Structures are given as structure tokens and as C-alpha cells.
Amino acid sequence: MITSQGMLDTLTARGYGLVTGVPCSYFKGPLRLLAQGAAPRYIAAANEGSAIAIAAGAELGGQLPLVMAQNSGFGNMINPLTSLVLPYRIPLTVMVSMRGWPTADAGEPQHYWMGRVVPSWLDSLGIAYWMLTSDGPSLDELLRNARHVLDEGRPAFILVGKGAIANDAPPDRPAASPVRRPTRDDVVAAVLAEAGNAHLLSTTGYLSRSLFQQGDSDRNFYMQGSMGHAAGMALGAALASPQTRFVVLDGDGAVLMHMGSLATIGDLAPANLTHVVFDNGVYDSTGGQPTGRRQTDFASAALACGYRDAQRVETADALRDALRAALGSVGPSAIVVRGAPGGSAGERASSNVGVAEIGDRFRKSLTARAPLAEGWTPA
């Protein structure tokens, strides 16, 4: 096992000048140090494909780059790897955490496939890779081996097993806020109080856990994995069931990951969709790393993409008022909640209800609804 600081020292000694990626709890320690200003420079990417592109640009600009990401996002890397990095012969190093390897936990079925297929996919692409484990070769040795591959103009992957990197970095000291911002539990409670018989879709991570604990229902879809796609899924459901109201509970990091969904929602303008974005500035479920959205105004972005209404709120009471207005009006509407990070994680929905059952009962709850009159009438 390598310490968090030891990992960063090794990267610096090997000449890496820029690290980019999307957080994973396996990298929690090093990412915490990077967020605190440790070298090398760290750039929070919106998604894993963007991280590959950022690293490719850095390499062309003369810096040796490294990408850190979770294997669940490996699919996002495929396009820039195959159409940019490989044909243009741009050498870069990618460290991928192997969630679900060697076996996936019972409560994390979303990691089952990626825990199995990443090595074979890399083999099919002719990309060299090595395993970093708690009892295997050192990171320095693996990076030395990777250097030979980089010198040939090819990418190199290091697949990281659980426990290979210590989570030993000191925790951040959160800055005191002049106002008490709502927690994710406050946001979920407000949505449940106002949503009535609406169908709820919640993004991967702690929002889904909170929704399950506070108000499990057949009308709820808890997303595990597929980060950034809750809004797109809600759009598809809203278009397929125009007589039903839908509320999607999203996070700022998830929206950033596939922000183009805002444009699609705005263009198609489903009248029955309300989009609640919990903007707490961090990826809570992977260790509280910053999302890199300090300059992003999600409400203005939603309006620019064609949402009929978008509001920013900073209290649970204001959220409830905004929800009542949105659910009584023609959508799509966005409500951006400036919230607080942290709080208890709670138990996953999938630890109690299988993910296939979650999908099946959500589907049945929609087909069982009595058809309403033609055209959607706001509540």
C-alpha cells in the first residue's frame, strides 16, 4: 500500500505535471491533498472522456499528464481513446480504480460488468496495462514500465485495486457559512412533502439513499451508476407518459457530467417535468472532492437551454415554495438548491430492493395509472 502523499511524490518524481479526472473513493486521500494545493496540479473534469481530452491537450502542450477515474466511467473514455489518443499517438497515463473487482458487492450490482471487462477491453484496443494492488509491485515500478510505452507514443493504464492507495490524508476543514444551507435530507424531505403523486427519479449517490430512507415508493427510481443520466432518463419517461408528473433529483456533479441533457430537455419542453438540482459543490459519495463548478450558474444555463422557468433557492422553505409553483405550472422547470455538503450517507436502496425490482415496480406504477384527459393539466 502506498500513502496518499507517497503517491503524489512518486508522480512528481516521475515528471507528471498535471492530473485530471473524476473522483473515486479509492483515490480519496490523494484527491484530498490535490484539492488542498499539493503538486501536481489537479483539474476536476466534467466526465472521464473530457479528462482524456484535457490530458491529451496537456501532453501536446509539453506536460506529462495523468488521468484518475473510476472504472464505471471507462465507457466515457472509449471515444477519445479510440478516435483521438490512439490515432494521433498521444501518450498519456490513466489510473483506473477497479470497483467490483475481483467480485462486486451484493449492494453494488452496477459495478459487476466493469469489474470484469476493463482488462479485456484494453486488450482488444492493444493498450498496455498493469495492476496496482496492496501487495504487488510498487507504483514507481509500474510508472517506470509505463514510461517505455509512453515513449512509443502509446497510452498506458494502471488498474488500481481496493486498498492499494491509503486514505490517510487529513480531512478538509469546511468553511463556515453565514447561513444554514439545506442538506440533502432537507431537500429530499421538501420534495416528498410537495411532490404528491409525482414519480421521482434520483441521481446516483447519496440523494438516492436519502430518498429511499425517507420515502420508499414504487413511484421512485433510484439510479445507481450511470452518473449524469438521471435527467435524460426523466426526459424519456416524461415524454412517454405525458399525463404523469415527474421530478428528477439531480446533483451538481451529475449535471456537469452530461450537461447537454439540459439542451435536449429545453428543446423538447416536456410540460410535466421538474428538475431539482442539489448544488453543494462537491462529490459527496466519493469523499467530498470539489466538482469544479464555482463559476457555473445552473439556473441561467437551464433558461438558456429553453426551460420555461428556473429558480435558485437557499432554504428548504424556499424550495417548497418553488416546488409548489413548478408543479402547478407548465414545465420544464428547474430549481437549483444551494446546499451544504456532508451528512450521513445511509443505506443503499439496492441493499433492500434489487435494482431489477426497482425498475420493474417503477414501470408497473406507470402502466397502472388511470389515463387522464388528452393533454397534461398542471396540478
Side-chain angles (χ1 to χ4, degrees), residues 45-69:
N47 60 56
E48 295 82 3
S50 294
I52 294 291
I54 291 168
E59 196 283 329
L60 293 176
Q63 278 195 322
L64 185 61
L66 181 131
V67 173
M68 286 196 297

PDB file of all heavy atoms in Angstrom, residues 45-69:
ATOM      1  N   ALA A  45     -12.407  17.258 -13.992  1.00  0.00           N
ATOM      2  CA  ALA A  45     -13.068  17.169 -15.299  1.00  0.00           C
ATOM      3  C   ALA A  45     -14.557  16.898 -15.111  1.00  0.00           C
ATOM      4  O   ALA A  45     -14.975  16.309 -14.120  1.00  0.00           O
ATOM      5  CB  ALA A  45     -12.439  16.066 -16.138  1.00  0.00           C
ATOM      6  N   ALA A  46     -15.353  17.315 -16.088  1.00  0.00           N
ATOM      7  CA  ALA A  46     -16.799  17.084 -16.014  1.00  0.00           C
ATOM      8  C   ALA A  46     -17.140  15.611 -16.183  1.00  0.00           C
ATOM      9  O   ALA A  46     -18.081  15.107 -15.576  1.00  0.00           O
ATOM     10  CB  ALA A  46     -17.523  17.909 -17.074  1.00  0.00           C
ATOM     11  N   ASN A  47     -16.389  14.903 -17.016  1.00  0.00           N
ATOM     12  CA  ASN A  47     -16.582  13.466 -17.174  1.00  0.00           C
ATOM     13  C   ASN A  47     -15.273  12.841 -17.620  1.00  0.00           C
ATOM     14  O   ASN A  47     -14.296  13.543 -17.915  1.00  0.00           O
ATOM     15  CB  ASN A  47     -17.723  13.139 -18.151  1.00  0.00           C
ATOM     16  CG  ASN A  47     -17.485  13.696 -19.539  1.00  0.00           C
ATOM     17  OD1 ASN A  47     -16.465  13.411 -20.167  1.00  0.00           O
ATOM     18  ND2 ASN A  47     -18.418  14.488 -20.027  1.00  0.00           N
ATOM     19  N   GLU A  48     -15.233  11.524 -17.669  1.00  0.00           N
ATOM     20  CA  GLU A  48     -13.975  10.829 -17.919  1.00  0.00           C
ATOM     21  C   GLU A  48     -13.453  11.056 -19.335  1.00  0.00           C
ATOM     22  O   GLU A  48     -12.240  11.123 -19.557  1.00  0.00           O
ATOM     23  CB  GLU A  48     -14.169   9.333 -17.666  1.00  0.00           C
ATOM     24  CG  GLU A  48     -14.483   8.977 -16.229  1.00  0.00           C
ATOM     25  CD  GLU A  48     -15.946   9.146 -15.834  1.00  0.00           C
ATOM     26  OE1 GLU A  48     -16.769   9.506 -16.727  1.00  0.00           O
ATOM     27  OE2 GLU A  48     -16.271   8.903 -14.657  1.00  0.00           O
ATOM     28  N   GLY A  49     -14.356  11.181 -20.313  1.00  0.00           N
ATOM     29  CA  GLY A  49     -13.913  11.483 -21.673  1.00  0.00           C
ATOM     30  C   GLY A  49     -13.265  12.843 -21.761  1.00  0.00           C
ATOM     31  O   GLY A  49     -12.240  13.025 -22.436  1.00  0.00           O
ATOM     32  N   SER A  50     -13.840  13.813 -21.060  1.00  0.00           N
ATOM     33  CA  SER A  50     -13.237  15.148 -21.022  1.00  0.00           C
ATOM     34  C   SER A  50     -11.870  15.109 -20.367  1.00  0.00           C
ATOM     35  O   SER A  50     -10.952  15.838 -20.773  1.00  0.00           O
ATOM     36  CB  SER A  50     -14.146  16.119 -20.262  1.00  0.00           C
ATOM     37  OG  SER A  50     -15.358  16.337 -20.958  1.00  0.00           O
ATOM     38  N   ALA A  51     -11.711  14.254 -19.351  1.00  0.00           N
ATOM     39  CA  ALA A  51     -10.408  14.127 -18.702  1.00  0.00           C
ATOM     40  C   ALA A  51      -9.355  13.619 -19.687  1.00  0.00           C
ATOM     41  O   ALA A  51      -8.210  14.102 -19.695  1.00  0.00           O
ATOM     42  CB  ALA A  51     -10.514  13.189 -17.499  1.00  0.00           C
ATOM     43  N   ILE A  52      -9.738  12.644 -20.516  1.00  0.00           N
ATOM     44  CA  ILE A  52      -8.799  12.152 -21.534  1.00  0.00           C
ATOM     45  C   ILE A  52      -8.414  13.287 -22.488  1.00  0.00           C
ATOM     46  O   ILE A  52      -7.235  13.455 -22.842  1.00  0.00           O
ATOM     47  CB  ILE A  52      -9.419  10.985 -22.321  1.00  0.00           C
ATOM     48  CG1 ILE A  52      -9.634   9.761 -21.410  1.00  0.00           C
ATOM     49  CG2 ILE A  52      -8.563  10.617 -23.532  1.00  0.00           C
ATOM     50  CD1 ILE A  52      -8.378   9.079 -20.960  1.00  0.00           C
ATOM     51  N   ALA A  53      -9.393  14.088 -22.893  1.00  0.00           N
ATOM     52  CA  ALA A  53      -9.117  15.195 -23.811  1.00  0.00           C
ATOM     53  C   ALA A  53      -8.214  16.245 -23.159  1.00  0.00           C
ATOM     54  O   ALA A  53      -7.285  16.778 -23.801  1.00  0.00           O
ATOM     55  CB  ALA A  53     -10.427  15.828 -24.268  1.00  0.00           C
ATOM     56  N   ILE A  54      -8.489  16.569 -21.892  1.00  0.00           N
ATOM     57  CA  ILE A  54      -7.651  17.543 -21.176  1.00  0.00           C
ATOM     58  C   ILE A  54      -6.213  17.036 -21.100  1.00  0.00           C
ATOM     59  O   ILE A  54      -5.252  17.777 -21.341  1.00  0.00           O
ATOM     60  CB  ILE A  54      -8.214  17.800 -19.766  1.00  0.00           C
ATOM     61  CG1 ILE A  54      -9.543  18.550 -19.853  1.00  0.00           C
ATOM     62  CG2 ILE A  54      -7.215  18.585 -18.909  1.00  0.00           C
ATOM     63  CD1 ILE A  54     -10.319  18.583 -18.538  1.00  0.00           C
ATOM     64  N   ALA A  55      -6.073  15.751 -20.758  1.00  0.00           N
ATOM     65  CA  ALA A  55      -4.733  15.174 -20.664  1.00  0.00           C
ATOM     66  C   ALA A  55      -4.031  15.173 -22.018  1.00  0.00           C
ATOM     67  O   ALA A  55      -2.829  15.455 -22.102  1.00  0.00           O
ATOM     68  CB  ALA A  55      -4.825  13.749 -20.116  1.00  0.00           C
ATOM     69  N   ALA A  56      -4.780  14.868 -23.075  1.00  0.00           N
ATOM     70  CA  ALA A  56      -4.180  14.882 -24.416  1.00  0.00           C
ATOM     71  C   ALA A  56      -3.686  16.279 -24.774  1.00  0.00           C
ATOM     72  O   ALA A  56      -2.586  16.444 -25.330  1.00  0.00           O
ATOM     73  CB  ALA A  56      -5.203  14.392 -25.443  1.00  0.00           C
ATOM     74  N   GLY A  57      -4.481  17.289 -24.475  1.00  0.00           N
ATOM     75  CA  GLY A  57      -4.051  18.662 -24.752  1.00  0.00           C
ATOM     76  C   GLY A  57      -2.842  19.048 -23.943  1.00  0.00           C
ATOM     77  O   GLY A  57      -1.928  19.736 -24.442  1.00  0.00           O
ATOM     78  N   ALA A  58      -2.801  18.618 -22.681  1.00  0.00           N
ATOM     79  CA  ALA A  58      -1.645  18.927 -21.840  1.00  0.00           C
ATOM     80  C   ALA A  58      -0.379  18.286 -22.394  1.00  0.00           C
ATOM     81  O   ALA A  58       0.697  18.901 -22.390  1.00  0.00           O
ATOM     82  CB  ALA A  58      -1.903  18.441 -20.412  1.00  0.00           C
ATOM     83  N   GLU A  59      -0.508  17.044 -22.882  1.00  0.00           N
ATOM     84  CA  GLU A  59       0.662  16.368 -23.445  1.00  0.00           C
ATOM     85  C   GLU A  59       1.177  17.100 -24.683  1.00  0.00           C
ATOM     86  O   GLU A  59       2.391  17.302 -24.836  1.00  0.00           O
ATOM     87  CB  GLU A  59       0.311  14.918 -23.784  1.00  0.00           C
ATOM     88  CG  GLU A  59       1.508  14.011 -24.007  1.00  0.00           C
ATOM     89  CD  GLU A  59       2.173  14.211 -25.364  1.00  0.00           C
ATOM     90  OE1 GLU A  59       1.450  14.558 -26.329  1.00  0.00           O
ATOM     91  OE2 GLU A  59       3.401  14.003 -25.469  1.00  0.00           O
ATOM     92  N   LEU A  60       0.251  17.517 -25.546  1.00  0.00           N
ATOM     93  CA  LEU A  60       0.665  18.278 -26.724  1.00  0.00           C
ATOM     94  C   LEU A  60       1.314  19.600 -26.325  1.00  0.00           C
ATOM     95  O   LEU A  60       2.185  20.115 -27.032  1.00  0.00           O
ATOM     96  CB  LEU A  60      -0.535  18.539 -27.637  1.00  0.00           C
ATOM     97  CG  LEU A  60      -1.154  17.302 -28.315  1.00  0.00           C
ATOM     98  CD1 LEU A  60      -2.393  17.710 -29.110  1.00  0.00           C
ATOM     99  CD2 LEU A  60      -0.146  16.616 -29.222  1.00  0.00           C
ATOM    100  N   GLY A  61       0.878  20.143 -25.189  1.00  0.00           N
ATOM    101  CA  GLY A  61       1.435  21.405 -24.707  1.00  0.00           C
ATOM    102  C   GLY A  61       2.720  21.264 -23.929  1.00  0.00           C
ATOM    103  O   GLY A  61       3.275  22.269 -23.459  1.00  0.00           O
ATOM    104  N   GLY A  62       3.195  20.030 -23.760  1.00  0.00           N
ATOM    105  CA  GLY A  62       4.501  19.842 -23.151  1.00  0.00           C
ATOM    106  C   GLY A  62       4.499  19.356 -21.714  1.00  0.00           C
ATOM    107  O   GLY A  62       5.569  19.293 -21.097  1.00  0.00           O
ATOM    108  N   GLN A  63       3.339  18.995 -21.165  1.00  0.00           N
ATOM    109  CA  GLN A  63       3.280  18.465 -19.799  1.00  0.00           C
ATOM    110  C   GLN A  63       2.956  16.983 -19.825  1.00  0.00           C
ATOM    111  O   GLN A  63       2.159  16.523 -20.649  1.00  0.00           O
ATOM    112  CB  GLN A  63       2.220  19.191 -18.963  1.00  0.00           C
ATOM    113  CG  GLN A  63       2.691  20.512 -18.374  1.00  0.00           C
ATOM    114  CD  GLN A  63       1.750  20.985 -17.275  1.00  0.00           C
ATOM    115  OE1 GLN A  63       0.539  20.836 -17.371  1.00  0.00           O
ATOM    116  NE2 GLN A  63       2.313  21.592 -16.234  1.00  0.00           N
ATOM    117  N   LEU A  64       3.562  16.250 -18.908  1.00  0.00           N
ATOM    118  CA  LEU A  64       3.254  14.827 -18.784  1.00  0.00           C
ATOM    119  C   LEU A  64       1.991  14.696 -17.941  1.00  0.00           C
ATOM    120  O   LEU A  64       1.983  15.069 -16.760  1.00  0.00           O
ATOM    121  CB  LEU A  64       4.418  14.092 -18.123  1.00  0.00           C
ATOM    122  CG  LEU A  64       4.301  12.566 -18.021  1.00  0.00           C
ATOM    123  CD1 LEU A  64       4.200  11.930 -19.408  1.00  0.00           C
ATOM    124  CD2 LEU A  64       5.501  12.001 -17.260  1.00  0.00           C
ATOM    125  N   PRO A  65       0.878  14.173 -18.511  1.00  0.00           N
ATOM    126  CA  PRO A  65      -0.399  14.147 -17.787  1.00  0.00           C
ATOM    127  C   PRO A  65      -0.755  12.766 -17.250  1.00  0.00           C
ATOM    128  O   PRO A  65      -0.273  11.737 -17.744  1.00  0.00           O
ATOM    129  CB  PRO A  65      -1.395  14.548 -18.874  1.00  0.00           C
ATOM    130  CG  PRO A  65      -0.825  13.895 -20.112  1.00  0.00           C
ATOM    131  CD  PRO A  65       0.687  13.873 -19.944  1.00  0.00           C
ATOM    132  N   LEU A  66      -1.624  12.784 -16.257  1.00  0.00           N
ATOM    133  CA  LEU A  66      -2.170  11.549 -15.721  1.00  0.00           C
ATOM    134  C   LEU A  66      -3.658  11.740 -15.464  1.00  0.00           C
ATOM    135  O   LEU A  66      -4.076  12.781 -14.958  1.00  0.00           O
ATOM    136  CB  LEU A  66      -1.459  11.153 -14.422  1.00  0.00           C
ATOM    137  CG  LEU A  66      -1.944   9.844 -13.796  1.00  0.00           C
ATOM    138  CD1 LEU A  66      -0.776   8.935 -13.456  1.00  0.00           C
ATOM    139  CD2 LEU A  66      -2.758  10.115 -12.528  1.00  0.00           C
ATOM    140  N   VAL A  67      -4.443  10.736 -15.829  1.00  0.00           N
ATOM    141  CA  VAL A  67      -5.886  10.741 -15.597  1.00  0.00           C
ATOM    142  C   VAL A  67      -6.200   9.767 -14.464  1.00  0.00           C
ATOM    143  O   VAL A  67      -5.684   8.641 -14.443  1.00  0.00           O
ATOM    144  CB  VAL A  67      -6.651  10.322 -16.875  1.00  0.00           C
ATOM    145  CG1 VAL A  67      -8.143  10.160 -16.578  1.00  0.00           C
ATOM    146  CG2 VAL A  67      -6.428  11.338 -17.985  1.00  0.00           C
ATOM    147  N   MET A  68      -7.044  10.198 -13.512  1.00  0.00           N
ATOM    148  CA  MET A  68      -7.550   9.310 -12.463  1.00  0.00           C
ATOM    149  C   MET A  68      -9.061   9.230 -12.585  1.00  0.00           C
ATOM    150  O   MET A  68      -9.729  10.260 -12.652  1.00  0.00           O
ATOM    151  CB  MET A  68      -7.175   9.823 -11.076  1.00  0.00           C
ATOM    152  CG  MET A  68      -5.722   9.630 -10.716  1.00  0.00           C
ATOM    153  SD  MET A  68      -5.401   9.806  -8.935  1.00  0.00           S
ATOM    154  CE  MET A  68      -5.862  11.498  -8.654  1.00  0.00           C
ATOM    155  N   ALA A  69      -9.591   8.010 -12.615  1.00  0.00           N
ATOM    156  CA  ALA A  69     -11.038   7.849 -12.761  1.00  0.00           C
ATOM    157  C   ALA A  69     -11.453   6.479 -12.268  1.00  0.00           C
ATOM    158  O   ALA A  69     -10.624   5.584 -12.062  1.00  0.00           O
ATOM    159  CB  ALA A  69     -11.454   8.030 -14.218  1.00  0.00           C
TER     160      ALA A  69
END
